[in-house]
Amino acid sequence: MTIAGKLWQRGRDLFPIAGFHVDRPLVLLQSDDWGRVGLRDANGLEQLRSSGLALGERPYDFYTLETAEDVRSLSTTLKGHRDSGGRSPCMEMNFIVANLDFARMSVDGFRKVHLLPVAEGFPMGWTRPGLVEAYREGIEDGVFQPALHGTTHFCRSAVERNASGEGERASALRILWEAGTPYIHWRMPWIGYEYWDPESPEDERFLAADAQAEMIEQTIGAFAKLFASLPRSACAPGYRANDDTHRVWAQHGIHVAQNGPGVLIPPHFDRHNVLHLFRTVEFEPATDPAFSVEACLRQAESCFERQIPAIVSLHSINFHSTVRDFRSRTLEALDEFLTALESKHTNLMYLHDEDLHELVDTGRHKMPYGSIPVKVIRRNFTKSRVARRQDA
Ligand SMILES: [Zn+2]
């Protein structure tokens, strides 16, 4: 970024923005990485270990892919809960809509990326009977809302640049790809995120606007094939999105942008008329050694005190079960968390991203028996002065 650009951005952070506040407890669930394959279950684990990879250092070494049963168990847990208006929580599920086509990639020596849309199945060596149907059932039942994450999660140009070279990085990719695993991010952060190349100069890391536009268009096409609908909300892989990303999203009818945790910012619109939401509760039992239901409840309460929604972040790994059973503990904790919120707040409301968009836009919320007015308060804030989340 140029000096003028940096000054402009700093100036913008000092400029007051209209934030939306609601005087009743709102809870949203946002979850990333659905549809994205990782370790190819027990076989993949064995194959990678025999190639000399010491897996097990971090939870993401055991990231696999959800099964139909994982998805149905989550759906059952959500259906067991109701808010004050009788609605179950509906999880915003952000999908990666394609995986690597390892069969095609092996033909040209694993030097190029080829993609296989989830709508056409999972890559060679993977079996997930009924998984896509399980996603669709949950959507039909109103407990999942599909949204856009991306096509590859990693930056394609960064991966192809490294795969076509010689040396350690190319061979690390080849070992994983031969075992049907696309990548393990913490072991190779140089793969970046879909719209963000970490090896470019600091102010050029985001891909050019036209490159992003082409990718987003393809991703939306693959999403439409998978769900026969268009996404209304999106979360960029690694939360790496810039103004170009938001503009293209808006052009395609996406009117909610999900942002990562760390700051307590009220929902607000950007100049493209996209509503920005920030995650305010980190519910990640699989990856957070300090996780506790009590801490998550405290985080939610501090949102309610500020009259902002509790936006709960839960990544898909928390529901995986094939190599490590992350699912059992997560569902038990989630059940406890939702039960505690429901019993303490008799006016609690579960919303998904589009509900919240409609609420701030119209001041009304749809309930099973009709729509009700909800008081929305506009209060200015400046980005330079927002509260950091209290990790109590
Ligand atoms: Zn992700």
Side-chain angles (χ1 to χ4, degrees):
M1 207 183 290
T2 59
I3 292 171
K6 278 183 185 154
L7 282 174
W8 180 76
Q9 190 170 354
R10 206 166 302 154
R12 202 177 49 173
D13 289 351
L14 294 167
F15 200 73
I17 303 168
F20 296 100
H21 298 260
V22 175
D23 188 19
R24 62 190 282 172
L26 309 181
V27 176
L28 286 83
L29 308 177
Q30 295 178 346
S31 184
D32 299 343
D33 302 336
W34 297 90
R36 168 169 91 74
V37 310
L39 187 70
R40 194 169 46 81
D41 299 335
N43 284 336
L45 176 72
E46 215 170 284
Q47 190 174 339
L48 287 174
R49 279 190 171 154
S50 66
S51 316
L53 211 60
L55 291 174
E57 227 178 292
R58 295 200 193 176
Y60 267 97
D61 280 351
F62 299 127
Y63 173 99
T64 54
L65 171 67
E66 56 277 4
T67 63
E69 200 198 329
D70 295 339
V71 172
R72 289 212 176 91
S73 313
L74 166 61
S75 163
T76 305
T77 301
L78 296 175
K79 282 182 207 163
H81 288 272
R82 293 271 186 275
D83 68 9
S84 54
R87 269 182 63 162
S88 291
C90 178
M91 182 181 273
E92 201 75 28
M93 268 188 171
N94 300 313
F95 279 88
I96 290 292
V97 295
N99 282 293
L100 293 184
D101 191 340
F102 300 111
R104 277 176 72 202
M105 285 165 60
S106 71
V107 174
D108 53 32
F110 291 120
R111 292 188 176 270
K112 271 197 65 152
V113 163
H114 292 289
L115 299 173
L116 177 67
V118 173
E120 290 170 27
F122 290 99
M124 187 177 71
W126 280 89
T127 47
R128 280 296 185 267
L131 175 56
V132 170
E133 290 73 17
Y135 298 141
R136 289 177 184 152
E137 270 169 43
I139 296 165
E140 187 85 359
D141 292 345
V143 285
F144 304 151
Q145 179 77 8
L148 205 72
H149 202 22
T151 290
T152 58
H153 214 286
F154 56 77
C155 179
R156 254 169 278 178
S157 46
V159 163
E160 284 190 327
R161 184 174 65 236
N162 283 290
S164 63
E166 296 299 329
E168 247 171 63
R169 290 179 176 186
S171 80
L173 286 172
R174 206 154 304 144
I175 287 169
L176 289 168
W177 290 350
E178 276 167 359
T181 293
Y183 65 86
I184 299 174
H185 189 273
W186 76 269
R187 293 175 176 269
M188 42 183 58
W190 40 266
I191 64 174
Y193 296 105
E194 191 149 38
Y195 315 128
W196 188 82
D197 186 341
E199 294 189 306
S200 293
E202 199 189 333
D203 48 2
E204 292 165 25
R205 288 189 185 153
F206 278 105
L207 302 190
D210 53 348
Q212 288 198 43
E214 201 184 318
M215 281 177 184
I216 291 167
E217 204 165 295
Q218 285 169 3
T219 310
I220 290 175
F223 182 99
K225 273 194 192 140
L226 186 55
F227 296 116
S229 67
L230 292 171
R232 295 292 174 223
S233 172
C235 177
Y239 311 120
R240 298 305 200 283
N242 64 0
D243 191 64
D244 293 326
T245 325
H246 301 140
R247 192 187 60 251
V248 179
W249 282 351
Q251 284 163 356
H252 287 280
I254 290 170
H255 52 207
V256 179
Q258 302 170 42
N259 295 274
V263 280
L264 296 170
I265 290 189
H268 61 277
F269 285 104
D270 69 9
R271 63 199 187 110
H272 308 295
N273 217 16
V274 170
L275 184 70
H276 282 253
L277 304 182
F278 287 75
R279 297 187 183 170
T280 49
V281 179
E282 287 185 81
F283 195 102
E284 311 276 5
T287 55
D288 176 7
F291 170 83
S292 78
V293 171
E294 293 71 32
C296 291
L297 287 168
R298 280 197 296 273
Q299 290 169 17
E301 291 305 328
S302 94
C303 296
F304 302 153
E305 281 158 23
R306 290 178 161 82
Q307 301 183 321
I308 62 173
I311 302 181
V312 184
S313 176
L314 325 90
H315 283 73
S316 70
I317 186 174
N318 293 292
F319 304 96
H320 290 183
S321 65
T322 55
V323 166
R324 280 283 177 285
D325 176 17
F326 296 119
R327 185 183 88 197
S328 303
R329 180 174 175 225
T330 302
L331 291 181
E332 206 173 295
L334 185 59
D335 201 37
E336 196 187 323
F337 176 71
L338 299 175
T339 303
L341 289 174
E342 288 155 20
S343 59
K344 183 164 179 201
H345 299 282
T346 49
N347 58 347
L348 185 82
M349 289 196 323
Y350 291 127
L351 278 75
H352 59 61
D353 292 4
E354 219 182 330
D355 294 329
L356 185 59
H357 183 275
E358 199 180 310
L359 194 152
V360 300
D361 206 30
T362 65
R364 297 192 73 84
H365 178 57
K366 269 197 218 104
M367 297 287 215
Y369 50 80
S371 93
I372 57 155
V374 176
K375 193 175 173 203
V376 178
I377 308 143
R378 287 166 75 104
R379 209 178 290 147
N380 283 352
F381 73 99
T382 52
K383 281 194 178 165
S384 60
R385 298 187 59 188
V386 293
R388 313 293 304 179
R389 204 195 63 212
Q390 298 287 311
D391 273 309

